[in-house]
PDB file of all heavy atoms in Angstrom:
ATOM      1  N   GLY A 388      -9.476  18.101  20.830  1.00  0.00           N
ATOM      2  CA  GLY A 388      -8.034  17.887  20.731  1.00  0.00           C
ATOM      3  C   GLY A 388      -7.227  19.165  20.759  1.00  0.00           C
ATOM      4  O   GLY A 388      -6.012  19.132  20.604  1.00  0.00           O
ATOM      5  N   ASN A 389      -7.886  20.311  20.938  1.00  0.00           N
ATOM      6  CA  ASN A 389      -7.155  21.575  21.045  1.00  0.00           C
ATOM      7  C   ASN A 389      -6.665  21.742  22.475  1.00  0.00           C
ATOM      8  O   ASN A 389      -7.457  21.845  23.397  1.00  0.00           O
ATOM      9  CB  ASN A 389      -8.051  22.763  20.684  1.00  0.00           C
ATOM     10  CG  ASN A 389      -8.388  22.808  19.226  1.00  0.00           C
ATOM     11  OD1 ASN A 389      -7.596  22.367  18.404  1.00  0.00           O
ATOM     12  ND2 ASN A 389      -9.543  23.326  18.897  1.00  0.00           N
ATOM     13  N   LEU A 390      -5.372  21.772  22.636  1.00  0.00           N
ATOM     14  CA  LEU A 390      -4.777  21.957  23.962  1.00  0.00           C
ATOM     15  C   LEU A 390      -4.060  23.295  23.985  1.00  0.00           C
ATOM     16  O   LEU A 390      -3.279  23.609  23.085  1.00  0.00           O
ATOM     17  CB  LEU A 390      -3.805  20.831  24.283  1.00  0.00           C
ATOM     18  CG  LEU A 390      -4.412  19.437  24.341  1.00  0.00           C
ATOM     19  CD1 LEU A 390      -3.325  18.398  24.541  1.00  0.00           C
ATOM     20  CD2 LEU A 390      -5.430  19.351  25.451  1.00  0.00           C
ATOM     21  N   ARG A 391      -4.324  24.085  25.019  1.00  0.00           N
ATOM     22  CA  ARG A 391      -3.706  25.403  25.155  1.00  0.00           C
ATOM     23  C   ARG A 391      -3.256  25.621  26.589  1.00  0.00           C
ATOM     24  O   ARG A 391      -3.738  24.971  27.503  1.00  0.00           O
ATOM     25  CB  ARG A 391      -4.694  26.501  24.783  1.00  0.00           C
ATOM     26  CG  ARG A 391      -5.099  26.424  23.336  1.00  0.00           C
ATOM     27  CD  ARG A 391      -5.876  27.616  22.929  1.00  0.00           C
ATOM     28  NE  ARG A 391      -6.233  27.486  21.521  1.00  0.00           N
ATOM     29  CZ  ARG A 391      -7.215  28.124  20.956  1.00  0.00           C
ATOM     30  NH1 ARG A 391      -7.950  28.956  21.654  1.00  0.00           N
ATOM     31  NH2 ARG A 391      -7.464  27.963  19.682  1.00  0.00           N
ATOM     32  N   ARG A 392      -2.356  26.582  26.731  1.00  0.00           N
ATOM     33  CA  ARG A 392      -1.924  26.963  28.069  1.00  0.00           C
ATOM     34  C   ARG A 392      -3.112  27.591  28.787  1.00  0.00           C
ATOM     35  O   ARG A 392      -3.869  28.350  28.198  1.00  0.00           O
ATOM     36  CB  ARG A 392      -0.788  27.979  27.969  1.00  0.00           C
ATOM     37  CG  ARG A 392      -0.301  28.432  29.350  1.00  0.00           C
ATOM     38  CD  ARG A 392       0.884  29.352  29.284  1.00  0.00           C
ATOM     39  NE  ARG A 392       2.028  28.587  28.836  1.00  0.00           N
ATOM     40  CZ  ARG A 392       2.917  29.049  27.967  1.00  0.00           C
ATOM     41  NH1 ARG A 392       2.806  30.242  27.457  1.00  0.00           N
ATOM     42  NH2 ARG A 392       3.929  28.299  27.608  1.00  0.00           N
ATOM     43  N   PRO A 393      -3.305  27.283  30.065  1.00  0.00           N
ATOM     44  CA  PRO A 393      -4.427  27.881  30.792  1.00  0.00           C
ATOM     45  C   PRO A 393      -4.300  29.401  30.859  1.00  0.00           C
ATOM     46  O   PRO A 393      -3.208  29.957  30.756  1.00  0.00           O
ATOM     47  CB  PRO A 393      -4.326  27.261  32.190  1.00  0.00           C
ATOM     48  CG  PRO A 393      -2.959  26.724  32.288  1.00  0.00           C
ATOM     49  CD  PRO A 393      -2.477  26.434  30.909  1.00  0.00           C
ATOM     50  N   ARG A 394      -5.425  30.069  31.017  1.00  0.00           N
ATOM     51  CA  ARG A 394      -5.400  31.528  31.092  1.00  0.00           C
ATOM     52  C   ARG A 394      -4.744  32.008  32.377  1.00  0.00           C
ATOM     53  O   ARG A 394      -4.068  33.019  32.398  1.00  0.00           O
ATOM     54  CB  ARG A 394      -6.815  32.079  31.021  1.00  0.00           C
ATOM     55  CG  ARG A 394      -7.396  31.985  29.669  1.00  0.00           C
ATOM     56  CD  ARG A 394      -8.722  32.679  29.623  1.00  0.00           C
ATOM     57  NE  ARG A 394      -9.296  32.524  28.299  1.00  0.00           N
ATOM     58  CZ  ARG A 394     -10.400  33.091  27.922  1.00  0.00           C
ATOM     59  NH1 ARG A 394     -11.072  33.853  28.756  1.00  0.00           N
ATOM     60  NH2 ARG A 394     -10.855  32.905  26.706  1.00  0.00           N
ATOM     61  N   ARG A 395      -4.985  31.294  33.433  1.00  0.00           N
ATOM     62  CA  ARG A 395      -4.427  31.680  34.731  1.00  0.00           C
ATOM     63  C   ARG A 395      -3.306  30.728  35.102  1.00  0.00           C
ATOM     64  O   ARG A 395      -3.539  29.532  35.280  1.00  0.00           O
ATOM     65  CB  ARG A 395      -5.500  31.642  35.805  1.00  0.00           C
ATOM     66  CG  ARG A 395      -6.551  32.682  35.603  1.00  0.00           C
ATOM     67  CD  ARG A 395      -7.544  32.639  36.717  1.00  0.00           C
ATOM     68  NE  ARG A 395      -8.574  33.625  36.489  1.00  0.00           N
ATOM     69  CZ  ARG A 395      -9.703  33.656  37.143  1.00  0.00           C
ATOM     70  NH1 ARG A 395      -9.949  32.751  38.065  1.00  0.00           N
ATOM     71  NH2 ARG A 395     -10.585  34.584  36.890  1.00  0.00           N
ATOM     72  N   TYR A 396      -2.131  31.262  35.204  1.00  0.00           N
ATOM     73  CA  TYR A 396      -0.985  30.481  35.656  1.00  0.00           C
ATOM     74  C   TYR A 396       0.037  31.448  36.231  1.00  0.00           C
ATOM     75  O   TYR A 396      -0.050  32.655  36.028  1.00  0.00           O
ATOM     76  CB  TYR A 396      -0.380  29.654  34.524  1.00  0.00           C
ATOM     77  CG  TYR A 396       0.141  30.447  33.355  1.00  0.00           C
ATOM     78  CD1 TYR A 396       1.466  30.810  33.286  1.00  0.00           C
ATOM     79  CD2 TYR A 396      -0.700  30.835  32.318  1.00  0.00           C
ATOM     80  CE1 TYR A 396       1.961  31.548  32.224  1.00  0.00           C
ATOM     81  CE2 TYR A 396      -0.223  31.557  31.254  1.00  0.00           C
ATOM     82  CZ  TYR A 396       1.107  31.913  31.213  1.00  0.00           C
ATOM     83  OH  TYR A 396       1.582  32.639  30.161  1.00  0.00           O
ATOM     84  N   HIS A 397       0.982  30.918  36.963  1.00  0.00           N
ATOM     85  CA  HIS A 397       1.996  31.741  37.619  1.00  0.00           C
ATOM     86  C   HIS A 397       3.158  31.942  36.649  1.00  0.00           C
ATOM     87  O   HIS A 397       3.939  31.039  36.394  1.00  0.00           O
ATOM     88  CB  HIS A 397       2.475  31.065  38.901  1.00  0.00           C
ATOM     89  CG  HIS A 397       3.202  31.986  39.810  1.00  0.00           C
ATOM     90  ND1 HIS A 397       4.481  32.411  39.565  1.00  0.00           N
ATOM     91  CD2 HIS A 397       2.820  32.576  40.970  1.00  0.00           C
ATOM     92  CE1 HIS A 397       4.873  33.211  40.529  1.00  0.00           C
ATOM     93  NE2 HIS A 397       3.875  33.331  41.393  1.00  0.00           N
ATOM     94  N   ARG A 398       3.234  33.134  36.095  1.00  0.00           N
ATOM     95  CA  ARG A 398       4.245  33.419  35.083  1.00  0.00           C
ATOM     96  C   ARG A 398       5.666  33.354  35.645  1.00  0.00           C
ATOM     97  O   ARG A 398       6.602  32.972  34.943  1.00  0.00           O
ATOM     98  CB  ARG A 398       3.979  34.773  34.446  1.00  0.00           C
ATOM     99  CG  ARG A 398       2.836  34.693  33.463  1.00  0.00           C
ATOM    100  CD  ARG A 398       2.212  36.041  33.188  1.00  0.00           C
ATOM    101  NE  ARG A 398       1.164  35.974  32.183  1.00  0.00           N
ATOM    102  CZ  ARG A 398      -0.057  35.514  32.373  1.00  0.00           C
ATOM    103  NH1 ARG A 398      -0.393  35.035  33.559  1.00  0.00           N
ATOM    104  NH2 ARG A 398      -0.937  35.495  31.409  1.00  0.00           N
ATOM    105  N   GLY A 399       5.838  33.695  36.897  1.00  0.00           N
ATOM    106  CA  GLY A 399       7.152  33.617  37.521  1.00  0.00           C
ATOM    107  C   GLY A 399       7.632  32.183  37.647  1.00  0.00           C
ATOM    108  O   GLY A 399       8.809  31.892  37.425  1.00  0.00           O
ATOM    109  N   LEU A 400       6.726  31.271  37.984  1.00  0.00           N
ATOM    110  CA  LEU A 400       7.093  29.864  38.093  1.00  0.00           C
ATOM    111  C   LEU A 400       7.386  29.283  36.712  1.00  0.00           C
ATOM    112  O   LEU A 400       8.327  28.497  36.552  1.00  0.00           O
ATOM    113  CB  LEU A 400       5.982  29.071  38.789  1.00  0.00           C
ATOM    114  CG  LEU A 400       6.270  27.606  39.066  1.00  0.00           C
ATOM    115  CD1 LEU A 400       7.551  27.434  39.868  1.00  0.00           C
ATOM    116  CD2 LEU A 400       5.101  26.966  39.788  1.00  0.00           C
ATOM    117  N   LEU A 401       6.611  29.672  35.715  1.00  0.00           N
ATOM    118  CA  LEU A 401       6.877  29.226  34.343  1.00  0.00           C
ATOM    119  C   LEU A 401       8.255  29.706  33.904  1.00  0.00           C
ATOM    120  O   LEU A 401       9.037  28.936  33.342  1.00  0.00           O
ATOM    121  CB  LEU A 401       5.805  29.745  33.388  1.00  0.00           C
ATOM    122  CG  LEU A 401       6.029  29.429  31.907  1.00  0.00           C
ATOM    123  CD1 LEU A 401       5.956  27.929  31.661  1.00  0.00           C
ATOM    124  CD2 LEU A 401       5.008  30.157  31.050  1.00  0.00           C
ATOM    125  N   ARG A 402       8.576  30.954  34.182  1.00  0.00           N
ATOM    126  CA  ARG A 402       9.879  31.509  33.824  1.00  0.00           C
ATOM    127  C   ARG A 402      11.004  30.758  34.538  1.00  0.00           C
ATOM    128  O   ARG A 402      12.032  30.431  33.940  1.00  0.00           O
ATOM    129  CB  ARG A 402       9.925  32.991  34.199  1.00  0.00           C
ATOM    130  CG  ARG A 402      11.249  33.653  33.955  1.00  0.00           C
ATOM    131  CD  ARG A 402      11.266  35.069  34.577  1.00  0.00           C
ATOM    132  NE  ARG A 402      12.591  35.583  34.646  1.00  0.00           N
ATOM    133  CZ  ARG A 402      13.475  35.319  35.582  1.00  0.00           C
ATOM    134  NH1 ARG A 402      13.158  34.526  36.575  1.00  0.00           N
ATOM    135  NH2 ARG A 402      14.675  35.837  35.550  1.00  0.00           N
ATOM    136  N   THR A 403      10.811  30.466  35.808  1.00  0.00           N
ATOM    137  CA  THR A 403      11.820  29.745  36.581  1.00  0.00           C
ATOM    138  C   THR A 403      12.092  28.372  35.989  1.00  0.00           C
ATOM    139  O   THR A 403      13.246  27.990  35.801  1.00  0.00           O
ATOM    140  CB  THR A 403      11.361  29.605  38.045  1.00  0.00           C
ATOM    141  OG1 THR A 403      11.200  30.908  38.607  1.00  0.00           O
ATOM    142  CG2 THR A 403      12.341  28.817  38.871  1.00  0.00           C
ATOM    143  N   MET A 404      11.035  27.635  35.682  1.00  0.00           N
ATOM    144  CA  MET A 404      11.220  26.292  35.143  1.00  0.00           C
ATOM    145  C   MET A 404      11.793  26.335  33.727  1.00  0.00           C
ATOM    146  O   MET A 404      12.592  25.477  33.349  1.00  0.00           O
ATOM    147  CB  MET A 404       9.901  25.521  35.191  1.00  0.00           C
ATOM    148  CG  MET A 404       9.388  25.275  36.590  1.00  0.00           C
ATOM    149  SD  MET A 404      10.627  24.620  37.760  1.00  0.00           S
ATOM    150  CE  MET A 404      11.031  23.059  37.022  1.00  0.00           C
ATOM    151  N   TYR A 405      11.399  27.321  32.945  1.00  0.00           N
ATOM    152  CA  TYR A 405      11.923  27.470  31.582  1.00  0.00           C
ATOM    153  C   TYR A 405      13.429  27.754  31.634  1.00  0.00           C
ATOM    154  O   TYR A 405      14.210  27.131  30.901  1.00  0.00           O
ATOM    155  CB  TYR A 405      11.185  28.612  30.879  1.00  0.00           C
ATOM    156  CG  TYR A 405      11.546  28.784  29.429  1.00  0.00           C
ATOM    157  CD1 TYR A 405      10.913  28.056  28.431  1.00  0.00           C
ATOM    158  CD2 TYR A 405      12.521  29.696  29.044  1.00  0.00           C
ATOM    159  CE1 TYR A 405      11.237  28.220  27.099  1.00  0.00           C
ATOM    160  CE2 TYR A 405      12.854  29.865  27.712  1.00  0.00           C
ATOM    161  CZ  TYR A 405      12.208  29.130  26.746  1.00  0.00           C
ATOM    162  OH  TYR A 405      12.536  29.300  25.422  1.00  0.00           O
ATOM    163  N   LEU A 406      13.843  28.684  32.505  1.00  0.00           N
ATOM    164  CA  LEU A 406      15.260  29.020  32.601  1.00  0.00           C
ATOM    165  C   LEU A 406      16.085  27.861  33.166  1.00  0.00           C
ATOM    166  O   LEU A 406      17.216  27.634  32.738  1.00  0.00           O
ATOM    167  CB  LEU A 406      15.451  30.266  33.466  1.00  0.00           C
ATOM    168  CG  LEU A 406      14.981  31.574  32.839  1.00  0.00           C
ATOM    169  CD1 LEU A 406      15.142  32.720  33.827  1.00  0.00           C
ATOM    170  CD2 LEU A 406      15.734  31.861  31.556  1.00  0.00           C
ATOM    171  N   SER A 407      15.514  27.103  34.101  1.00  0.00           N
ATOM    172  CA  SER A 407      16.259  25.957  34.637  1.00  0.00           C
ATOM    173  C   SER A 407      16.390  24.868  33.578  1.00  0.00           C
ATOM    174  O   SER A 407      17.415  24.191  33.501  1.00  0.00           O
ATOM    175  CB  SER A 407      15.598  25.418  35.902  1.00  0.00           C
ATOM    176  OG  SER A 407      14.429  24.703  35.604  1.00  0.00           O
ATOM    177  N   ALA A 408      15.358  24.700  32.742  1.00  0.00           N
ATOM    178  CA  ALA A 408      15.449  23.722  31.650  1.00  0.00           C
ATOM    179  C   ALA A 408      16.509  24.164  30.647  1.00  0.00           C
ATOM    180  O   ALA A 408      17.307  23.346  30.165  1.00  0.00           O
ATOM    181  CB  ALA A 408      14.099  23.573  30.964  1.00  0.00           C
ATOM    182  N   LEU A 409      16.547  25.441  30.355  1.00  0.00           N
ATOM    183  CA  LEU A 409      17.545  25.974  29.426  1.00  0.00           C
ATOM    184  C   LEU A 409      18.950  25.775  29.981  1.00  0.00           C
ATOM    185  O   LEU A 409      19.869  25.373  29.257  1.00  0.00           O
ATOM    186  CB  LEU A 409      17.266  27.449  29.167  1.00  0.00           C
ATOM    187  CG  LEU A 409      18.057  28.132  28.067  1.00  0.00           C
ATOM    188  CD1 LEU A 409      17.779  27.485  26.720  1.00  0.00           C
ATOM    189  CD2 LEU A 409      17.710  29.607  28.009  1.00  0.00           C
ATOM    190  N   ALA A 410      19.140  26.042  31.269  1.00  0.00           N
ATOM    191  CA  ALA A 410      20.454  25.877  31.898  1.00  0.00           C
ATOM    192  C   ALA A 410      20.844  24.406  31.990  1.00  0.00           C
ATOM    193  O   ALA A 410      22.032  24.069  31.884  1.00  0.00           O
ATOM    194  CB  ALA A 410      20.454  26.507  33.285  1.00  0.00           C
ATOM    195  N   SER A 411      19.864  23.519  32.158  1.00  0.00           N
ATOM    196  CA  SER A 411      20.186  22.092  32.301  1.00  0.00           C
ATOM    197  C   SER A 411      20.672  21.476  30.999  1.00  0.00           C
ATOM    198  O   SER A 411      21.317  20.432  31.019  1.00  0.00           O
ATOM    199  CB  SER A 411      18.977  21.321  32.822  1.00  0.00           C
ATOM    200  OG  SER A 411      18.002  21.186  31.806  1.00  0.00           O
ATOM    201  N   LEU A 412      20.377  22.113  29.873  1.00  0.00           N
ATOM    202  CA  LEU A 412      20.867  21.580  28.598  1.00  0.00           C
ATOM    203  C   LEU A 412      22.388  21.562  28.549  1.00  0.00           C
ATOM    204  O   LEU A 412      22.982  20.709  27.893  1.00  0.00           O
ATOM    205  CB  LEU A 412      20.326  22.410  27.428  1.00  0.00           C
ATOM    206  CG  LEU A 412      18.845  22.280  27.146  1.00  0.00           C
ATOM    207  CD1 LEU A 412      18.449  23.186  25.994  1.00  0.00           C
ATOM    208  CD2 LEU A 412      18.467  20.844  26.838  1.00  0.00           C
ATOM    209  N   LYS A 413      23.031  22.483  29.261  1.00  0.00           N
ATOM    210  CA  LYS A 413      24.491  22.563  29.263  1.00  0.00           C
ATOM    211  C   LYS A 413      25.119  21.601  30.259  1.00  0.00           C
ATOM    212  O   LYS A 413      26.228  21.136  30.047  1.00  0.00           O
ATOM    213  CB  LYS A 413      24.934  23.987  29.600  1.00  0.00           C
ATOM    214  CG  LYS A 413      24.499  25.003  28.590  1.00  0.00           C
ATOM    215  CD  LYS A 413      24.885  26.400  29.030  1.00  0.00           C
ATOM    216  CE  LYS A 413      24.334  27.428  28.073  1.00  0.00           C
ATOM    217  NZ  LYS A 413      24.561  28.788  28.543  1.00  0.00           N
ATOM    218  N   SER A 414      24.415  21.313  31.361  1.00  0.00           N
ATOM    219  CA  SER A 414      25.044  20.569  32.448  1.00  0.00           C
ATOM    220  C   SER A 414      24.516  19.152  32.649  1.00  0.00           C
ATOM    221  O   SER A 414      25.134  18.390  33.375  1.00  0.00           O
ATOM    222  CB  SER A 414      24.887  21.347  33.757  1.00  0.00           C
ATOM    223  OG  SER A 414      23.512  21.503  34.053  1.00  0.00           O
ATOM    224  N   CYS A 415      23.409  18.797  32.028  1.00  0.00           N
ATOM    225  CA  CYS A 415      22.796  17.491  32.303  1.00  0.00           C
ATOM    226  C   CYS A 415      22.602  16.713  31.003  1.00  0.00           C
ATOM    227  O   CYS A 415      21.787  17.099  30.156  1.00  0.00           O
ATOM    228  CB  CYS A 415      21.459  17.698  33.008  1.00  0.00           C
ATOM    229  SG  CYS A 415      20.605  16.172  33.409  1.00  0.00           S
ATOM    230  N   PRO A 416      23.316  15.604  30.845  1.00  0.00           N
ATOM    231  CA  PRO A 416      23.164  14.816  29.617  1.00  0.00           C
ATOM    232  C   PRO A 416      21.756  14.241  29.444  1.00  0.00           C
ATOM    233  O   PRO A 416      21.269  14.114  28.318  1.00  0.00           O
ATOM    234  CB  PRO A 416      24.187  13.692  29.760  1.00  0.00           C
ATOM    235  CG  PRO A 416      25.001  13.991  30.953  1.00  0.00           C
ATOM    236  CD  PRO A 416      24.343  15.079  31.723  1.00  0.00           C
ATOM    237  N   ALA A 417      21.082  13.920  30.555  1.00  0.00           N
ATOM    238  CA  ALA A 417      19.730  13.364  30.463  1.00  0.00           C
ATOM    239  C   ALA A 417      18.754  14.412  29.918  1.00  0.00           C
ATOM    240  O   ALA A 417      17.903  14.104  29.082  1.00  0.00           O
ATOM    241  CB  ALA A 417      19.263  12.861  31.826  1.00  0.00           C
ATOM    242  N   SER A 418      18.900  15.645  30.376  1.00  0.00           N
ATOM    243  CA  SER A 418      18.042  16.723  29.875  1.00  0.00           C
ATOM    244  C   SER A 418      18.312  16.983  28.407  1.00  0.00           C
ATOM    245  O   SER A 418      17.389  17.192  27.616  1.00  0.00           O
ATOM    246  CB  SER A 418      18.277  18.010  30.668  1.00  0.00           C
ATOM    247  OG  SER A 418      17.837  17.864  31.990  1.00  0.00           O
ATOM    248  N   LYS A 419      19.583  16.966  28.035  1.00  0.00           N
ATOM    249  CA  LYS A 419      19.939  17.197  26.634  1.00  0.00           C
ATOM    250  C   LYS A 419      19.384  16.084  25.751  1.00  0.00           C
ATOM    251  O   LYS A 419      18.877  16.350  24.653  1.00  0.00           O
ATOM    252  CB  LYS A 419      21.446  17.301  26.480  1.00  0.00           C
ATOM    253  CG  LYS A 419      21.858  17.734  25.114  1.00  0.00           C
ATOM    254  CD  LYS A 419      23.312  18.129  25.076  1.00  0.00           C
ATOM    255  CE  LYS A 419      23.626  18.659  23.700  1.00  0.00           C
ATOM    256  NZ  LYS A 419      24.272  19.922  23.708  1.00  0.00           N
TER     257      LYS A 419
END
Side-chain angles (χ1 to χ4, degrees):
N389 290 330
L390 298 175
R391 296 189 180 159
R392 179 176 291 139
R394 287 186 182 185
R395 293 182 182 166
Y396 61 94
H397 196 286
R398 284 159 177 76
L400 184 55
L401 176 65
R402 176 189 166 278
T403 299
M404 296 312 297
Y405 185 86
L406 289 176
S407 74
L409 189 62
S411 73
L412 290 178
K413 297 176 185 174
S414 61
C415 180
S418 293
K419 188 167 185 129

